[in-house]
Amino acid sequence: MNENASVKNPVNLRLPDGSVRTFDGPVTGTTLASVIGPGLLKAALAIKVGGELWDLNREIEADADVSIITKRDDDGLELMRHDAAHIMAEAVQELFPGTQVTIGPVIEDGFFYDFARDKPFTEEDLEVIEKRMHEIVKRDENIIREVWDRDDAVAYFKKIGELYKAELIEAIPAGELVTIYRQGEWLDLCRGPHLPSTGKLGDAFKLMKVAGAYWRGDSKNAMLTRIYGTCWRDKKELKAYLLRLEEAAKRDHRKLGREMDLFHLQEEAQGSVFWHPQGYTIWLALEKYIRTRLQGAGYREVKTPQVLDSKFWEQSGHWAKFRENMFVVPDEVPNTEEDGPVLSGDAKLMALKPMNCPAHVQIFKQGIKSYRDLPIRFAEFGCCHRNEAHGALHGLMRVRQMTQDDAHIFCREDQVTEESVAFCALLASVYKDLGFPEFQVKLATRPEMRAGSDEVWDKAEGALEAALKAANLEFEYAPGEGAFYGPKLEFHLSDAIGRTWQCGTLQTDFVLPERLDASYIGEDGNKHRPVMLHRAILGTLERFIGIMIEHYAGKMPLWMAPTQVAVAPITSEADEYAQNVADRLSALGMRVNTDLRNEKINYKVREHSHAKVPVILVVGMREAEEGKVSMRRLGSNENKVMTLDEAAVQLSAEATMPTGN
RNA sequence: GCUGCUGUAGCUCAGGGGUAGAGCACUCCCUUGGUAAGGGAGAGGCCGGGAGUUCAAAUCUCCCCAGCAGCACCA
C-alpha cells in the first residue's frame, strides 16, 4: 500500500451560518452532526454537500459547503417519503414472498411503489402491510449504501427472481457502478440518498389505496399493483392532511351537482350530462360571457352539422387515428320488418363529429379568400361526441358529449405569432374574470405518430414558443404530447383534490389546411395555404363548469349563481311585500326566488344557505312597513338592513357580468 | 380498456340464508315563528341486471352493467 494514502488532508466544512469546521481527514455527516450537538445528531436525516444530497454516513473527502438536513427541511420530508416507499417494499416482501419490486418514487404528499404479483393486493392487505412497516421502523434497521458493479447487480437480481429490477439495471450503461441500499435483510437498487436508519421515518404515514398501473406506463405491458401512501413529518401534519382531503371531497362537483340540483348523469347516457334548470343557468351565463368576449376579439360565430360523412374524417386523418373513439352512424333506413337485422351492415358510414375543425374548413372554403380577408376567426359552441374509454369518464370533467368553446383562426404564416399572442392574452383575461389568475401552461411537442414534415413542425413549435415568450407566460415542455397535426399549448387548471385538467388549448396546424385543401389568394396572385390555429379557452363548458364548481365550492360568483337572491318572508303577512321585492329585482334581470313556505325563518335561511344562494333577503312586517330588506350574504351571519332601493342598486351592479377589465 | 373496491328508499348509510331498517328529503295536519333543523301523522324499496346453489337468496357462487380510485387514452 502507498504510504501517502494514510496521510490525510484536512477537510473544511462550511455550515450555512458561515462558520467552518475543520477535520483532519474524510468525515461523515454523522460525525459533523455529533460535533455540533447531540440534538442535531438525533434529528439529522442527511447532509447537503455542495448542493447535493448525500447519505449521512457517506464520507466527505474535500472541502465543501454543507448543511445538515432534518425533517424540517423539504428535502428531509422528501427523503422520508422515499424511505417510506422502501420500507413498504420491505414489508410487502416479508409478508408476501414471491412479490417482485419495481419502482417506488416520491409524489406530491407521499409515495407509491409498484409491485408485480399474481394476485393483486386488496385494501385489506394495506392494514397488514402498514402494521409491518411500523415494526420495521421500530427495528430501526441501519440503511447502508453499497456501490456495486452493474453486471453483478443484474446477475444478483436475476438470481433472486427480481426480473423487473434486473431489467431496470440493464438499462444503465454497462461498466457503470450502481448503488444498492441495504436495510436489514432487504436491499434495493436506488440512487439514494436515504435516511441513516428506518427508525428515522417516524410514524406519520398511512397507506391510502391500491390501484393497477402498467409496467413502464405502457398498456401493452403487464399490469402491476400499485400501493399509494402518504407520509408527513409528524402525526399532526398527517391528521391535517387527511382532514384536508375530507374537506376537498366536500367540494367534489359531482356531489355539489346533486346537492345543488345542477345536473345528473345516468346509465342510459353514460358520459353525457342531463343539465337541470339550475345547472343550465350557470351554463348559459358562462356561454353568454364567453360569446361576448369572443365578439370583442374579432371572432364570428358559426354552427356546423352534427353528423358528417366518414370521408371527411378520412381526409382529415381522424378516421385513421381516432375511429375507435368515434360514434359511427350508418346512413340507412333501418329494417322495420319483424325479422332480419335492423341494419344491413353495408350502408355508407357517417359519424357524429368528434371535433369541429373540418367543418370550419368547409366554411372557409366557400368562395375565394384573399390575403386581405385574413385572419378569419370562426367560433362555434360545438357539440362534439367522443366515445371515451369507460375508465376515463369522470363526472363533468371527462364526458362523451361535450360542448367546446371552439374556434379556428385561418391566417397567414406571418400572422401566427401575433394571433397566438393575442389568444394567450385573451385566455389570461378570461381566466382572471372567472377566478383563475393562476394556471399551468404546457407546450406539447411533436408526437411519434404525426403528419407533416419535421420542417413544418419546427416552424409550428417555434411559433407557439414565441407566443408564450411574447405573452410572458411561464411554461414547461410536454415532449411528444402534441396532436398528430401540430404542437399545442395546454392550459391546465386543478380540481378540488389537486388533479389537473387541460382546459384551454392553442394548436398550430400546417397540416389540415393541406389535407382539406384550404387556400387563399396572396398578394402575388397565387394560391397559398393558410395556417390554422385551433383554440379553445374553456376547453369544454362541461369541464370548465366542473372546475368552477370545485374552485368556488359551489358558491358561484353572483353573476353566475343559478339563484342569485332568495326572498324569505318571516310571516305569511309579509308574503305580498316579499313578492314585490322579488318582482323589483326580477325586473332588473336578476334571478330571484321567493320562499313563501310555511316554515320558520331559521329553516329557510339554513336551506338556502345549503343551496348556496349568495343572497338571502329576509322580510318581516318591520321591513314591509318601512320598504326595507334585511340582507344576509352566504357565508356571513351578519344582516344588513337597507331600503329596497339600495339593495336593488347594489345587487344588480354586483351581478353584472365581468368584461375583462 | 386494465387492476382493485362499491352498488339497499330521492339523498347519506345500517343490516345480512327465513316476507326490508334509520336519519334527512317528500305529502298532510298543527304552528305565523326575526336569521343554519318547531311539533305530529303518513307515504315510499323485486336490496344494479341475469343465471346458479338452496326447502328458502337482498345476503352465497358465477356472468354482465354502472359508479369510485388509480393506470392507459385524451383530436
Side-chain angles (χ1 to χ4, degrees):
Chain A
M1 193 179 266
N2 189 332
E3 285 284 326
N4 291 333
S6 60
V7 177
K8 294 174 181 170
N9 292 320
V11 173
N12 298 299
L13 299 181
R14 192 163 64 172
L15 297 165
D17 66 0
S19 67
V20 175
R21 303 269 174 160
T22 302
F23 298 86
D24 58 7
V27 62
T28 65
T30 309
T31 308
L32 173 65
S34 67
V35 167
I36 297 171
L40 185 63
L41 176 63
K42 202 171 158 214
L45 299 180
I47 183 163
K48 208 166 211 176
V49 181
E52 198 179 313
L53 271 184
W54 281 30
D55 294 289
L56 217 47
N57 288 321
R58 189 165 160 191
E59 291 204 320
I60 304 163
E61 294 171 352
D63 294 356
D65 285 350
V66 301
S67 59
I68 303 275
I69 301 298
T70 70
K71 67 180 175 185
R72 302 234 171 280
D73 301 290
D74 289 345
D75 285 332
L77 181 58
E78 191 165 327
L79 282 182
M80 287 166 67
R81 288 173 176 163
H82 190 183
D83 276 76
H86 275 230
I87 289 169
M88 176 166 76
E90 183 180 357
V92 162
Q93 293 203 308
E94 280 184 13
L95 289 163
F96 305 95
T99 304
Q100 293 185 60
V101 292
T102 65
I103 54 160
V106 172
I107 52 173
E108 198 177 352
D109 302 331
F111 59 93
F112 68 75
Y113 210 116
D114 285 348
F115 301 98
R117 186 179 181 231
D118 296 342
K119 190 175 165 292
F121 294 110
T122 65
E123 309 260 323
E124 286 168 17
D125 296 326
L126 295 190
E127 217 172 299
V128 185
I129 296 168
E130 194 176 301
K131 199 170 153 225
R132 180 60 64 93
M133 288 174 71
H134 283 291
E135 286 167 24
I136 293 172
V137 169
K138 225 169 257 160
R139 283 187 224 151
D140 199 17
E141 294 164 347
N142 286 323
I143 300 175
I144 298 153
R145 179 176 183 268
E146 296 177 5
V147 179
W148 287 27
D149 176 72
R150 175 254 200 201
D151 292 337
D152 292 346
V154 171
Y156 172 79
F157 282 105
K158 276 192 177 158
K159 197 183 93 201
I160 62 169
E162 293 284 3
L163 305 180
Y164 290 94
K165 271 292 168 202
E167 188 180 329
L168 287 173
I169 304 170
E170 272 174 336
I172 297 170
E176 273 190 30
L177 297 173
V178 298
T179 49
I180 300 289
Y181 280 81
R182 191 185 286 277
Q183 56 197 53
E185 305 282 298
W186 190 80
L187 52 79
D188 194 5
L189 163 82
C190 188
R191 197 171 286 130
H194 278 279
L195 307 180
S197 68
T198 58
K200 299 279 185 189
L201 180 62
D203 58 359
F205 58 86
K206 182 175 166 59
L207 301 186
M208 304 295 284
K209 57 198 173 196
V210 283
Y214 296 107
W215 168 236
R216 299 202 143 161
D218 188 336
S219 59
K220 290 195 224 38
N221 290 340
M223 176 148 285
L224 309 171
T225 121
R226 173 174 297 181
I227 302 180
Y228 285 93
T230 187
C231 176
W232 298 87
R233 295 179 172 91
D234 51 49
K235 284 266 191 192
K236 202 171 145 198
E237 273 193 12
L238 173 64
K239 211 172 145 194
Y241 170 71
L242 296 176
L243 192 68
R244 204 158 71 233
L245 284 186
E246 261 175 57
E247 289 302 312
K250 292 182 191 160
R251 302 211 309 266
D252 190 308
H253 73 281
R254 294 164 297 188
K255 185 175 153 71
L256 288 170
R258 194 168 45 240
E259 289 171 2
M260 295 170 70
D261 194 17
L262 302 178
F263 65 89
H264 84 270
L265 293 152
Q266 69 184 52
E267 266 191 54
E268 289 74 9
Q270 44 178 290
S272 299
V273 185
F274 291 80
W275 287 99
H276 299 192
Q278 298 273 67
Y280 198 53
T281 302
I282 296 178
W283 175 298
L284 290 173
L286 184 59
E287 188 183 78
K288 181 177 176 194
Y289 164 77
I290 204 80
R291 175 174 280 133
T292 307
R293 297 301 313 268
L294 289 179
Q295 280 167 354
Y299 289 79
R300 300 178 67 202
E301 196 170 334
V302 299
K303 201 74 182 170
T304 62
Q306 206 64 46
V307 183
L308 289 144
D309 197 303
S310 62
K311 77 174 188 204
F312 251 18
W313 309 111
E314 282 165 28
Q315 250 181 345
S316 68
H318 291 93
W319 192 255
K321 193 163 192 315
F322 292 111
R323 192 171 58 216
E324 62 178 30
N325 293 313
M326 287 169 67
F327 287 101
V328 173
V329 183
D331 183 11
E332 177 183 15
V333 178
N335 179 15
T336 55
E337 304 297 324
E338 287 300 319
D339 50 351
V342 177
L343 295 171
S344 67
D346 49 46
K348 196 177 75 172
L349 296 181
M350 307 188 74
L352 288 175
K353 67 175 171 185
M355 18 82 72
N356 310 296
C357 354
H360 290 186
V361 174
Q362 303 314 309
I363 298 179
F364 179 84
K365 283 173 68 178
Q366 298 298 304
I368 295 173
K369 298 292 182 291
S370 154
Y371 72 94
R372 296 170 196 275
D373 299 327
L374 304 184
I376 290 175
R377 307 181 191 89
F378 289 144
E380 176 171 3
F381 290 98
C383 176
C384 295
H385 288 81
R386 295 178 184 176
N387 197 347
E388 304 283 11
H390 286 85
L393 299 176
H394 184 101
L396 295 178
M397 304 300 198
R398 192 80 182 270
V399 290
R400 286 183 163 169
Q401 179 192 300
M402 67 210 80
T403 301
Q404 303 173 324
D405 63 324
D406 200 7
H408 293 91
I409 302 171
F410 297 85
C411 64
R412 293 182 259 120
E413 222 176 290
D414 62 287
Q415 294 171 319
V416 169
T417 303
E418 188 186 337
E419 285 298 313
S420 301
V421 172
F423 172 74
C424 289
L426 178 62
L427 177 136
S429 160
V430 167
Y431 279 21
K432 190 162 169 259
D433 274 355
L434 298 178
F436 301 95
E438 311 266 330
F439 50 91
Q440 268 183 50
V441 187
K442 287 185 189 167
L443 171 52
T445 58
R446 66 195 76 185
E448 261 178 56
M449 290 262 288
R450 61 178 181 265
S453 68
D454 283 354
E455 192 197 347
V456 159
W457 276 88
D458 289 341
K459 246 191 313 194
E461 288 169 3
L464 289 184
E465 192 161 341
L468 282 177
K469 284 181 178 150
N472 208 14
L473 288 171
E474 277 183 34
F475 67 98
E476 54 187 81
Y477 291 95
E481 303 214 339
F484 73 88
Y485 52 71
K488 53 179 188 171
L489 295 184
E490 300 177 357
F491 300 90
H492 292 256
L493 294 172
S494 303
D495 68 12
I497 62 170
R499 290 178 290 220
T500 73
W501 300 88
Q502 183 194 310
C503 292
T505 184
L506 170 63
Q507 306 167 11
T508 56
D509 180 0
F510 295 87
V511 174
L512 274 188
E514 179 81 35
R515 290 194 166 198
L516 300 176
D517 193 27
S519 62
Y520 67 90
I521 308 297
E523 214 170 345
D524 57 5
N526 295 324
K527 277 191 175 180
H528 295 271
R529 291 285 172 219
V531 180
M532 229 174 136
L533 302 179
H534 308 243
R535 38 108 300 160
I537 296 175
L538 307 178
T540 71
L541 276 98
E542 286 85 356
R543 179 177 289 181
F544 208 91
I545 291 172
I547 293 270
M548 287 190 85
I549 291 169
E550 302 206 352
H551 180 71
Y552 287 109
K555 299 171 191 165
M556 308 305 279
L558 194 61
W559 68 276
M560 296 193 94
T563 299
Q564 295 172 316
V565 179
V567 184
I570 289 167
T571 83
S572 50
E573 283 175 68
D575 283 0
E576 196 185 329
Y577 178 65
Q579 195 56 57
N580 291 342
V581 170
D583 291 347
R584 173 70 184 280
L585 294 172
S586 296
L588 292 167
M590 300 202 68
R591 297 184 286 270
V592 191
N593 166 21
T594 46
D595 185 352
L596 307 183
R597 292 176 305 170
N598 173 19
E599 295 292 351
K600 290 217 158 116
I601 194 62
N602 284 8
Y603 185 88
K604 292 183 185 179
V605 165
R606 179 184 148 83
E607 192 156 287
H608 295 297
S609 299
H610 276 168
K612 315 248 188 305
V613 177
V615 177
I616 302 173
L617 296 181
V618 172
V619 293
M621 287 318 287
R622 227 151 55 205
E623 286 78 11
E625 278 155 21
E626 296 171 9
K628 289 188 171 173
V629 294
S630 167
M631 187 187 291
R632 182 191 172 107
R633 299 274 185 166
L634 182 57
S636 147
N637 46 17
E638 257 180 81
N639 312 300
K640 287 193 182 137
V641 178
M642 61 184 78
T643 65
L644 174 56
D645 288 339
E646 282 174 309
V649 169
Q650 191 185 113
L651 290 175
S652 63
E654 203 180 311
T656 308
M657 187 172 87
T659 56
N661 298 316

